[in-house]
Amino acid sequence: MTSSVLDLAPVVPVVVLEDAADAVPLARALVAGGLPAIEVTLRTAAALDAIRAIAAEVPDAVVGAGTVISGQNVSDTVAAGARFLVSPGWTDRLLDAMKASGVPFLPGVSTTSEVVALLERGVTEMKFFPAEAAGGTAYLKALSAPLPQARFCPTGGISPASAPSYLTLPNVGCVGGSWMVPADAVAAKDWARVERLAGEAAALRG
């Protein structure tokens, strides 16, 4: 795996799975479309089993855990096979747990003070969340001059139309989004549609 989650692909799919049985075919479709890094959020009871299945059965996928908000989440997901961690925000306790996990992590930030606090702790790669609500591309552009060492994966409200404007920013490595895994496609098990949408997302960085 590359040294940074931010450099695996232009888009990290943010996946919410109600049924762990969908995890492997969904992950295969995303990888086939060119999106190997897959963030499975801990918003459903199926999440840990989904991470476990992808880690075991889709070797080309780099599966991570999203919505990580506790030390227990960290240990559970890493044990299940998560290869990176993403949190919507951070505390000192959560940051310590993620640092101790041994896998890459993206703690969530939405203010300049949070970015500076993470830089103080030696963390330079972060999730900017909720991206659109927190100021979008204008906010990130404003951060790039005083804090050029911070790199981001903006997530939250990003669409295929807005993603390219984020990806042109010097401090954005990738964006997170769920538009390539629409709930109706997952429910219908329309993996061909997921692969097509993933392919379009993978091509967003021209």
Side-chain angles (χ1 to χ4, degrees):
M1 179 174 142
T2 175
S3 59
S4 171
V5 178
L6 299 181
D7 298 324
L8 288 170
V11 182
V12 175
V14 179
V15 176
V16 180
L17 284 169
E18 301 292 343
D19 185 350
D22 292 332
V24 167
L26 177 70
R28 285 179 177 149
L30 291 169
V31 170
L35 300 181
I38 302 168
E39 176 188 333
V40 177
T41 68
L42 299 183
R43 299 180 200 172
T44 67
L48 280 177
D49 285 338
I51 291 169
R52 204 171 283 117
I54 295 169
E57 298 182 48
V58 191
D60 291 334
V62 179
V63 65
T67 325
V68 172
I69 57 172
S70 70
Q72 190 66 54
N73 288 163
V74 171
S75 52
D76 288 348
T77 54
V78 172
R83 292 169 62 187
F84 65 93
L85 306 170
V86 184
S87 68
W90 67 278
T91 64
D92 286 324
R93 184 181 294 179
L94 178 59
L95 190 67
D96 288 343
M98 291 195 293
K99 278 190 159 189
S101 71
V103 301
F105 57 91
L106 297 172
V109 296
S110 61
T111 70
T112 310
S113 293
E114 290 171 312
V115 176
V116 172
L118 283 176
L119 292 174
E120 202 173 69
R121 297 282 303 268
V123 177
T124 58
E125 299 189 342
M126 312 164 195
K127 169 180 176 170
F128 179 58
F129 177 83
E132 287 288 285
T137 54
Y139 194 96
L140 286 170
K141 195 172 187 179
L143 287 182
S144 64
L147 302 170
Q149 63 273 55
R151 294 181 74 217
F152 301 94
C153 174
T155 305
I158 297 175
S159 68
S162 63
S165 60
Y166 281 94
L167 292 169
T168 61
L169 297 175
N171 55 351
V172 169
C174 62
V175 300
S178 55
W179 71 85
M180 74 300 298
V181 284
D184 60 338
V186 176
K189 305 191 190 308
D190 189 351
W191 309 126
R193 182 179 167 206
V194 171
E195 181 178 340
R196 177 175 58 78
L197 291 170
E200 292 169 2
L204 282 175
R205 181 180 280 133

